[in-house]
């Protein structure tokens, strides 16, 4: 058996499940048995909208996508294959692993045959008989999938400790010894049953689950454990306060017993340490079966609880503790009110200010780090803790400077990390979050900002004698800059590790493009929560050599697999792709004439109005809280913290509006246009259409498609010049970041990372909301092709309107070099103060630019990979050399350069 018991899943991107992982979110709405909407779409063969359901799941934070087609009136096998093939053509969906869910093996196998990456089969069990169990298990292994194994056998469902152990042992032995299954790919659903029912046979339900979980972890190496947590509190339906506390207690003991993942569906999860002691004692008397009359006592106590919203009560009891306990409490709870007083008291007690940092402050931050690592604290709380720490250290700084002057020792730390957003890129929210999380784990962070050249990065690394360099970037040109930094590190003889992170980065790009350029350690860090264990492993005397070899081997394997996959993927020639364009019946198409042609500018637009268009789901994702707004507030694990974060964000919005702290500006223009030569769009100065202002160049899909599926280009949605139809195209650029710099300076001076990240994330949401508002204004007033549109914000977020607004740098048009012509046409910089960097990133960072297409058939799509024949044609059309085009389009090329 392998010693590495990490469950490794993948879509286009990996999902690693190990002992450090938090609960895994599974998107369940692509399930015809659980979603009436999805069932109707599949029955009507409306797969475009069905794909949008999947997209919503991914954007709502799903880490695995469950797909189920079990319905008597549809051909489940055919529907599964068609839907999974369509998913494969949408990179945003295809990036996460699939869970192929069916009670019919034929449907599961059909899905396995066309699923990319490594998925999960849900589910198999011995209740179908040994012969069938073996057959299905061998098939799952053949397809390389992980599997959910239900605690069932021929006699029925496991409902006690002994039966759980017996069934899982039999299943495990059969799977590992007879089938040859990797234990890490086995997920046992151990069945969670209610407690507190009053029935004698239910007294040990929770305890048996915990004992069985521990037994599985101790006796079945590598196996994972799951279950539906909300089942445990069914006896107390209607009493949300009781259920919250029960779920928290159950999870606390379940995780301690070894539980890896679970489904929790109640409204919120109480912080375990915050459950009133009298309530917790009675709950755990029941859950742990500690007293014969436990259920009766809990039922009596439940009557005294109110299910209404909890009121905040100021508890000053913690102020009576020692200075050490007060500092720890302030750090964990993010309370800054007394930090100066308590820090001064600690300074007097410890004599040397350095000892205050090394002692009570680091002790408190170690608690924060442990709670975050175990999933008991979440990013917003950690950022607040960092704010407390920084304010305390800032208070001590004059005394520390005096110590330094007297040549005393400096505080020890876990390592010195240099962070930078690479040249040409201005985005830094993610980098800032990484810095906060690592600082909370005793790393010294040197953040040298945004748009930092390679030369400055390496100079700072040498000057500061750092242990690790971390590079961040959001736009695709940043990928090339990271490659350049890696090459220069190799050229200059660096040996220190290089961490790679940011929205456009990926494990496969790091493995294929960056790792070969540098002989030192190169590691892609998926998110802030992974930065600490990665950096710790790279700097540990005992672990660094083994970790280094492991990563190098993994990336070498990834490169080989990537090369093989590229060979398997079928592409057609650019000429064939153009012949297979999306065909619109232009002869019978009536094109609406815009109400207003030319450019318009909106200066100091009302933020109060923009606010109503905010899509809050991505806001929570920025803070590493995965879930769709407003349902995220009902999530038992993160709901309470998400609600606090939402309240804080809206308080900041109130302050922004009241104090005119940010200015929102927009440039919008509608111009006469026609497509020419298939993939070009001419934009004219007026309706005479004789003067061409600019010819925009578009790219076309080249992946081989199924029957009657087009190879799409955005130009397909603009009427060809040869059709004789007069068409139009729109452009826009908006920002919500004017005025943000003084705020950031203020928060930096106040050592307030929480407000720093909050204002950036709020400004980003305002920019996106402003774009939504402008698009609506275009549809209803400026272009006016949808004057009767009546959509609320929820339907706007779901993009139920006519038309699209693709942006350069995104899946349908990934080339950032199409931004400058937009800026020129609208005279953006002069009228909005948005500027473009040398990598065509927009500054302020909270800005969006793009195009408006109005045709009812226009839709979003992923370009995918293109061939050299199209790249060469595109270079000629744009008047640029091929090498430069290949640099800008590197992630989209189906060949190596």
């Amino acid at each position: 058996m392998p010693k590495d018991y990490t469950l490794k899943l993948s879509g286009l991107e990996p999902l690693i499940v190990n002992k450090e992982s938090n609960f895994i979110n599974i998107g369940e709405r692509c399930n015809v048995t659980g979603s009436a909407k999805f069932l109707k779409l599949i029955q009507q063969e409306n797969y475009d909208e069905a794909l949008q359901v999947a997209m919503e799941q991914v954007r709502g934070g799903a880490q695995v996508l469950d797909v189920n087609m079990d319905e008597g009136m549809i051909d489940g096998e055919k529907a599964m294959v068609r839907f999974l093939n369509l998913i494969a053509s949408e990179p945003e969906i295809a990036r996460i692993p699939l869970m192929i869910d069916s009670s019919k093996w034929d449907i599961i196998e059909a899905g396995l045959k066309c699923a990319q990456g490594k998925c999960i089969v849900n589910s198999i069990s011995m209740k179908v008989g040994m012969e069938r169990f073996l057959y299905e298990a061998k098939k799952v292994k053949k397809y390389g999938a992980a599997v959910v194994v239900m605690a069932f056998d021929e006699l029925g469902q496991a409902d006690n400790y002994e039966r759980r152990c017996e069934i899982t042992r039999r299943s495990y032995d059969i799977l590992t010894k007879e089938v040859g299954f990797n234990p890490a790919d086995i997920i046992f659903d151990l069945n969670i049953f209610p407690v507190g029912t009053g029935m004698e046979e239910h007294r040990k339900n929770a305890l048996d689950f915990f004992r069985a979980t521990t037994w599985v972890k101790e006796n079945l190496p590598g196996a994972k454990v799951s279950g539906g947590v909300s089942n445990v509190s069914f006896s107390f339906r209607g009493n949300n306060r009781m259920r919250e506390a029960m779920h928290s207690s159950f999870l606390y003991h379940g995780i301690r017993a070894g539980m890896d993942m679970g489904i929790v569906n109640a409204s919120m999860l109480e912080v375990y340490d915050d459950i009133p002691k009298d309530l917790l004692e009675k709950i755990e008397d029941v859950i742990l079966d500690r007293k014969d009359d436990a259920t009766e006592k809990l039922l009596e106590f439940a009557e005294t609880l109110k299910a209404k919203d909890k009121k905040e009560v100021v508890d000053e009891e913690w102020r009576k503790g020692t200075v050490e306990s007060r500092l720890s409490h302030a750090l964990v709870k993010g309370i800054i009110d007394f930090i100066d007083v308590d820090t001064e008291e600690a300074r007097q007690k410890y004599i040397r200010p350095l000892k205050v940092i090394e002692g009570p402050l680091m002790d408190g931050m170690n608690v924060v780090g442990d709670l975050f690592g175990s999933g008991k604290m979440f990013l917003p709380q950690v950022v607040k803790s960092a704010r407390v720490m920084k304010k305390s250290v800032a208070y001590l700084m004059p005394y520390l400077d005096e110590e330094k002057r007297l040549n005393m020792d400096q505080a020890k730390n876990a390592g010195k990390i240099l962070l930078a957003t690479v040249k040409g890129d201005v985005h830094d929210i993610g980098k800032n979050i990484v810095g906060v999380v690592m600082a909370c784990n005793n790393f010294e962070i040197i953040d040298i900002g945004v748009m930092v050249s390679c030369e400055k990065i390496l100079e700072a690394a040498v000057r500061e004698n750092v242990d690790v360099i971390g590079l961040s970037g959001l736009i695709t040109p940043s990928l090339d800059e990271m490659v350049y930094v890696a090459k220069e590190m190799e050229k200059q003889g660096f040996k220190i590790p290089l961490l790679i992170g940011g929205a456009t980065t990926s494990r496969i790009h790091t493995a294929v493009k960056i790792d070969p350029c540098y002989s030192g350690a190169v590691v892609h860090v998926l998110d802030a929560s992974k930065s600490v264990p990665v950096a710790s492993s790279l700097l540990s005397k005992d672990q660094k050599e083994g970790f280094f070899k492991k990563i190098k081997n993994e990336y070498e394997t990834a490169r080989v697999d990537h090369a093989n996959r590229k060979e398997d993927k079928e592409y057609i020639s650019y000429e064939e792709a153009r012949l297979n364009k999306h065909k619109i019946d232009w002869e019978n198409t009536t094109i609406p004439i815009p109400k207003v042609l030319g450019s318009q500018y909106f200066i100091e637009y009302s933020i109060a109005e923009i606010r109503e268009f905010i899509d809050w789901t991505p806001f929570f994702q920025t803070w590493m809280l995965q879930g769709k707004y407003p349902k995220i507030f009902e999530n038992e694990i993160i709901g309470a913290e998400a609600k606090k974060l939402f309240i804080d964000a809206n308080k900041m919005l109130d302050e922004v509006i009241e104090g005119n702290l940010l200015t929102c500006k927009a440039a919008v223009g509608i111009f006469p246009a026609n497509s020419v030569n298939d993939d070009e769009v001419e934009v004219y100065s007026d309706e005479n259409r004789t003067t061409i202002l600019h010819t925009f160049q578009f790219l076309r899909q080249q992946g081989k498609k199924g029957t009657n599926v087009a190879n799409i280009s955005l130009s397909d949605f603009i009427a060809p010049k040869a059709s004789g139809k007069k068409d139009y195209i729109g452009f826009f650029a908006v920002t919500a970041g004017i005025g943000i710099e003084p705020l950031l300076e203020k928060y930096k001076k106040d050592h307030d990372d929480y407000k720093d990240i909050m204002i950036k994330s709020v400004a980003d949401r305002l920019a996106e909301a402003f774009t939504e508002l402008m698009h609506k204004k275009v549809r209803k007033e400026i272009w006016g092709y949808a004057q009767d549109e009546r959509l609320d914000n929820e339907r706007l977020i779901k993009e139920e309107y006519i038309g699209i607004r693709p942006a350069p740098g995104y899946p349908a048009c990934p080339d950032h070099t199409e931004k400058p012509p937009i800026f020129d046409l609208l005279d953006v910089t002069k009228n909005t103060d948005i500027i473009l960097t040398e990598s065509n990133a927009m500054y302020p960072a909270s800005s969006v630019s793009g195009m408006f297409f109005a045709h009812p058939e226009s839709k979003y799509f992923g370009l995918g990979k293109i061939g050299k024949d199209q790249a060469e044609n595109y270079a000629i059309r744009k008047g640029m050399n091929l090498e430069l085009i290949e640099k800008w389009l590197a992630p989209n090329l189906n060949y190596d350069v």
Side-chain angles (χ1 to χ4, degrees), residues 5 48 279 372 401 583 597 618 627 675 688 718 769 782 796:
Y5 293 130
D48 282 344
L279 174 58
F372 181 63
D401 289 341
K583 296 175 177 61
L597 282 175
S675 63
N688 291 327
I718 300 292
I782 300 173
L796 288 176

Side-chain angles (χ1 to χ4, degrees), residues 494-513:
F494 277 74
K495 300 297 181 186
I496 63 176
L498 176 62
L499 304 186
I500 302 295
T504 57
T505 65
S506 67
R507 178 178 177 273
I508 192 63
H509 180 271
T510 303
V512 173
K513 297 292 186 180

